[in-house]
Amino acid sequence: MTRQNIVVGLDVGTTKVCAVVADLRDSGPDILGLGMSPSTGLRKGIVINIDETVGSIEKAVREAGSSAGVRIKSVSVGISGGHIKGFDSSGAVGIRGKEVSPSDVRRAIDSAKTAYIPLDRELLHAVPAEFTLDGQDGITNPVGMSGVRLEAGVHIVTAAVSPMQNLLKCCGKAGLEVAEVVFSPLASSYAVLTQEEKSAGTVLIDMGGGSTGIAFFKGGSLRYASVVAVGGNHFTNDLAVGLHVTMNEAEKLKREAGAAYESIVPSSEEIQITQVGGQRRTLPRKYLAEILQPRCEEMLDLLKEEIRKCGGYRNAICGVVITGGASLLTGFGEMAEVLLGLPVRTGAPREIKGFAVAFEGPAYSAGVGLATYGQEPESGKAAQTDAMHGVFSRVTDLVRDIFRHADHFHLNNRKEGGVLCLKSRR
Ligand SMILES: Nc1ncnc2c1ncn2[C@@H]1O[C@H](COP(=O)(O)OP(=O)(O)OP(=O)(O)O)[C@@H](O)[C@H]1O
Ligand SMILES: [Mg+2]
């Protein structure tokens, strides 16, 4: 019998909590079980009610555990919210004219990780981007090169301490050990993006209910991380206010008849709505799009600014991939392509063994990514592994390990021995 390497991803979102149980085999991940529960204890991606969040986590984890036939003790949890910030940092070490060794690379990365982080923030990830050797920049693998001064550029992602502690507290109260805390859009990228997209340059936009995460990838690694506190619930709220309907009715209308812009809705189409007082009305379906269009434009303006900040207009060769439940709004992808001025595709978890059809939409990208984080489905195939690493293909095993698990250089490094101490995958 083959040994199982079970990892559980826990996506604690503003609208739903989703738990995914995966067996990470050499041949690729196998999804063994899934659980989902509506979420009521978060706002804009941040926990605002511990008990409600614990209840949602417990339900999702119970469901996932029983569908997989395993007892869940440890999870990789996703984090999002407007408090997440990313910045570039660099660190240098002397080589004294010798050949650069893997340990020099590690020292340079460690030095870049000592960037000043205020006391109210916690280091989540320090992802190596590229190296500079004696002024020669753009080096992806300096091992074996000769030089005097090696500089490592890393992208650092931090989270505010309090929302992070509250998320961890919820997991603890639900009886779970936290093995890893991962920036949610970074986790989604493992489910949604191809390695070619990560190498050539892609902006991943995870549009959730209460927030939208932005992650830019280039050269195979994360180069920019940010979150804007606007998501699909704002669309729903606009409909509720504009049509005088409950949030539930607005949500139903948005999903069934909503559209991102007016001109895609035929003028002849009508919808029935039930207003707060119980009155039923018949309206042109265009009214929904008239309400939603300005909010979509506003959202795309914010995203345009983010793409500008991360250099996406120069470097995102593969354009933009949108995921998350809010990306499902009819016409949003087409509107985004026009207003952002880049190619846009909607991304959902790629085909994974054992994957249930009910969980294949973009809303499950983060959950699936958290469970499969660190292992690409194609990693068992040599040819694709090379393509996957692209420019890294000559990297020695040790350095490859640094890059592949670059995302794992996170808070645990600063808190050795603490509650968040990184546990190896079982
Ligand atoms: N078919 C659809 N059309 C339009 N919007 C949709 C559709 N399906 C889901 N949504 C919206 O997607 C949002 C939820 O997305 P998702 O499940 O990715 O969020 P979340 O992970 O719970 O939240 P967050 O990431 O912000 O914490 C909700 O606003 C919901 O209304
Ligand atoms: Mg989400």
Side-chain angles (χ1 to χ4, degrees):
M1 199 177 132
T2 49
R3 203 173 144 266
Q4 289 197 314
N5 182 18
I6 306 281
V7 175
V8 182
L10 181 68
D11 175 28
V12 185
T14 310
T15 61
K16 51 116 189 44
V17 174
C18 164
V20 179
V21 183
D23 181 8
L24 302 187
R25 294 159 181 257
D26 289 343
S27 55
D30 195 355
I31 302 290
L32 303 181
L34 302 144
M36 217 266 286
S37 160
S39 168
T40 48
L42 278 87
R43 200 169 157 263
K44 298 184 179 182
I46 294 171
V47 175
I48 52 156
N49 186 315
I50 300 253
D51 290 342
E52 286 180 13
T53 306
V54 172
S56 303
I57 293 175
E58 284 173 342
K59 184 169 177 291
V61 168
R62 208 180 311 120
E63 208 174 288
S66 58
S67 67
V70 295
R71 201 168 146 256
I72 297 172
K73 285 190 280 186
S74 168
V75 292
S76 293
V77 70
I79 190 163
S80 191
H83 60 100
I84 303 281
K85 302 269 177 280
F87 63 92
D88 290 329
S89 173
S90 63
V93 290
I95 307 296
R96 287 194 239 121
K98 291 191 311 215
E99 278 193 1
V100 176
S101 69
S103 85
D104 294 326
V105 171
R106 206 183 283 277
R107 281 195 301 125
I109 292 167
D110 281 345
S111 152
K113 283 190 329 196
T114 56
Y116 170 70
I117 294 169
L119 284 176
D120 61 349
R121 300 198 68 79
E122 195 64 78
L123 177 68
L124 261 188
H125 306 282
V127 185
E130 62 177 32
F131 297 88
T132 303
L133 189 60
D134 294 346
Q136 171 67 56
D137 60 6
I139 299 171
T140 50
N141 171 24
V143 172
M145 295 180 174
S146 300
V148 174
R149 185 176 190 272
L150 176 68
E151 197 177 321
V154 300
H155 191 69
I156 304 253
V157 185
T158 64
V161 167
S162 142
M164 181 136 120
Q165 279 177 348
N166 288 333
L167 176 65
L168 294 168
K169 192 179 279 179
C170 292
C171 294
K173 283 192 159 205
L176 300 166
E177 216 174 67
V178 174
E180 289 172 306
V181 185
V182 185
F183 175 47
S184 291
L186 177 61
S188 302
S189 77
Y190 282 80
V192 166
L193 296 187
T194 63
Q195 278 304 324
E196 286 73 17
E197 284 173 326
K198 282 191 182 179
S199 290
T202 301
V203 182
L204 178 72
I205 297 176
D206 186 338
M207 299 172 59
S211 64
T212 295
I214 299 104
F216 173 57
F217 296 85
K218 181 94 183 165
S221 64
L222 179 76
R223 301 295 178 98
Y224 180 85
S226 170
V227 177
V228 292
V230 184
N233 291 357
H234 293 82
F235 299 167
T236 313
N237 195 55
D238 290 350
L239 287 181
V241 172
L243 299 171
H244 304 284
V245 297
T246 62
M247 282 296 277
N248 282 345
E249 172 78 355
E251 179 71 28
K252 185 170 146 270
L253 289 168
K254 180 180 80 170
R255 291 184 185 219
E256 290 172 4
Y261 58 100
E262 224 191 296
S263 58
I264 42 165
V265 182
S267 305
S268 56
E269 287 188 13
E270 292 190 326
I271 49 158
Q272 296 261 312
I273 66 163
T274 306
Q275 288 183 313
V276 178
Q279 307 94 309
R280 287 179 67 78
R281 290 186 197 280
T282 302
L283 299 175
R285 187 182 154 209
K286 258 189 191 301
Y287 276 20
L288 300 189
E290 274 174 25
I291 294 171
L292 293 169
Q293 185 169 336
R295 180 66 86 172
C296 291
E297 285 167 357
E298 183 196 62
M299 164 83 101
L300 287 166
D301 268 352
L302 289 172
L303 295 176
K304 202 170 181 173
E305 187 50 33
E306 292 293 325
I307 295 172
R308 204 171 284 131
K309 281 193 214 159
C310 71
Y313 285 109
R314 271 172 286 119
N315 297 316
I317 307 287
C318 296
V320 174
V321 175
I322 50 170
T323 192
S327 67
L328 287 168
L329 181 66
T330 303
F332 188 84
E334 293 86 331
M335 185 180 190
E337 192 154 277
V338 173
L339 295 191
L340 297 178
L342 285 171
V344 174
R345 77 165 174 93
T346 303
R350 285 173 290 146
E351 200 182 305
I352 292 173
K353 265 190 288 171
F355 201 64
V357 174
F359 283 81
E360 71 186 8
Y364 302 101
S365 302
V368 173
L370 284 161
T372 57
Y373 182 63
Q375 186 186 13
E376 296 291 337
E378 65 271 43
S379 62
K381 301 173 192 165
Q384 279 166 315
T385 303
D386 273 346
M388 183 169 101
H389 289 285
V391 287
F392 302 141
S393 57
R394 287 178 300 114
V395 180
T396 63
D397 281 352
L398 179 58
V399 178
R400 179 181 292 135
D401 193 55
I402 292 172
F403 279 94
R404 280 203 66 191
H405 299 284
D407 313 325
H408 296 243
F409 288 106
H410 53 81
L411 75 163
N412 308 294
N413 296 320
R414 287 211 311 159
K415 284 214 156 185
E416 273 158 15
V419 269
L420 307 179
C421 186
L422 178 63
K423 312 253 177 2
S424 58
R425 292 174 185 278
R426 286 176 303 137

